[in-house]
Amino acid sequence: MPPGANTPRCGDCLQNPPAFDSTIVACDYEAPQDRLVLSLKFGHHLALAPVFAAMLRDAILRQSHQDLPDFLCVVPLSQNRLTERGFNQALEIARPLAQHLGIPLQPQALHKTRETAKQSSLAPDARMRNVKNAFVPDDQLLQTIKGRHIGIVDDVITTGMTLHEIATMLKRFGARKVSNYVFARTPHHTY
C-alpha cells in the first residue's frame, strides 16, 4: 500500500490473506525501474544489486512500526535456472541489504525442489499450482526457523504466489513471522 494508506492490506489480501505477514517494496515495476531489473537479471549488470539494496533499505527503514527480522534469506532458483543465469539476483540484492541492516543472511536457508515454469509466463491463477510444494528449508537450519521472524528477499513481486508458498512452508516449520523485502512490485493493472 502507498505511504499514508489507512489500511496495511489491499483488497486482494483482505479477501485472500497471504501466509506472509508483510511486504515492503522499494518501487513499482514500471519504467525506468523495470529496465533496471531486466538489466540485472538478464544483462548480468550485477553492479545494480547494491543500488537496489540501498533503495530497499530506505523503504524498510521508513516503516518505523515494523520490526526487523532475525535473519534474511532469498527466493531460491532451481539448479537449472541458477546454472543458466550464473547467479541468483535475489541473493545479489540480499548481500548488501543484510550488511545495510546489520542482519545475518542465510543464503542457503531455502531450496527449490523442482523445476517450475517461469511465473512471468503464467496466468495469475496458474501461478499457485506452479510453485505448490516447490520449496523446502535446509535440513541444517530447521531449528533456526522455529519461533523466528524471517525476511525473504526477491527482485520482483507480481501476484505474490511464490512468496506466499515460501511463507506457508516456513510457518509449517515453525516460523513466527515472515516479511518480504522486494525491490519492485508489478502494479495490479498490468497482470
Side-chain angles (χ1 to χ4, degrees):
M1 297 299 293
N6 42 348
T7 179
R9 296 197 181 251
C10 68
D12 285 345
C13 290
L14 291 171
Q15 283 185 341
N16 301 301
F20 49 79
D21 297 279
S22 65
T23 299
I24 296 175
V25 298
C27 61
D28 282 337
Y29 187 68
E30 295 181 318
Q33 292 87 222
D34 59 344
R35 292 284 156 214
L36 294 174
V37 169
L38 295 173
S39 291
L40 168 63
K41 204 170 189 171
F42 302 113
H44 296 84
H45 291 104
L46 298 180
L48 290 168
V51 176
F52 293 1
M55 291 173 66
L56 192 48
R57 174 208 56 214
D58 293 348
I60 292 166
L61 295 178
R62 278 193 297 271
Q63 304 295 319
S64 58
H65 63 282
Q66 295 261 344
D67 58 321
L68 292 176
D70 296 306
F71 64 89
L72 295 177
C73 53
V74 299
V75 173
L77 296 178
S78 68
Q79 191 56 50
N80 287 346
R81 188 96 17 97
L82 184 58
T83 300
E84 236 174 57
R85 190 170 295 152
F87 64 95
N88 179 340
Q89 69 280 358
L91 179 56
E92 296 304 317
I93 297 167
R95 281 187 183 122
L97 180 63
Q99 289 179 335
H100 288 314
L101 297 174
I103 297 172
L105 173 62
Q106 297 286 349
Q108 300 299 319
L110 306 175
H111 301 287
K112 196 162 188 185
T113 60
R114 61 184 167 80
E115 280 298 316
T116 57
K118 291 182 182 177
Q119 288 288 80
S120 60
S121 69
L122 300 173
D125 59 339
R127 291 176 183 218
M128 177 164 289
R129 290 188 305 276
N130 187 48
V131 294
K132 188 76 175 157
N133 298 317
F135 304 98
V136 294
D138 186 271
D139 290 340
Q140 307 276 335
L141 295 174
L142 286 177
Q143 292 306 313
T144 306
I145 293 170
K146 288 185 177 160
R148 297 293 184 86
H149 176 188
I150 301 171
I152 309 296
V153 178
D154 204 3
D155 58 338
V156 178
I157 183 172
T158 301
T159 63
M161 288 300 114
T162 299
L163 293 165
H164 168 77
E165 183 62 22
I166 290 172
T168 298
M169 178 271 301
L170 287 170
K171 288 189 173 180
R172 190 170 50 245
F173 282 96
R176 174 179 54 83
K177 183 176 180 180
V178 178
S179 298
N180 302 320
Y181 303 113
V182 185
F183 176 67
R185 168 190 48 215
T186 303
H188 186 69
H189 66 275
T190 61
Y191 61 88

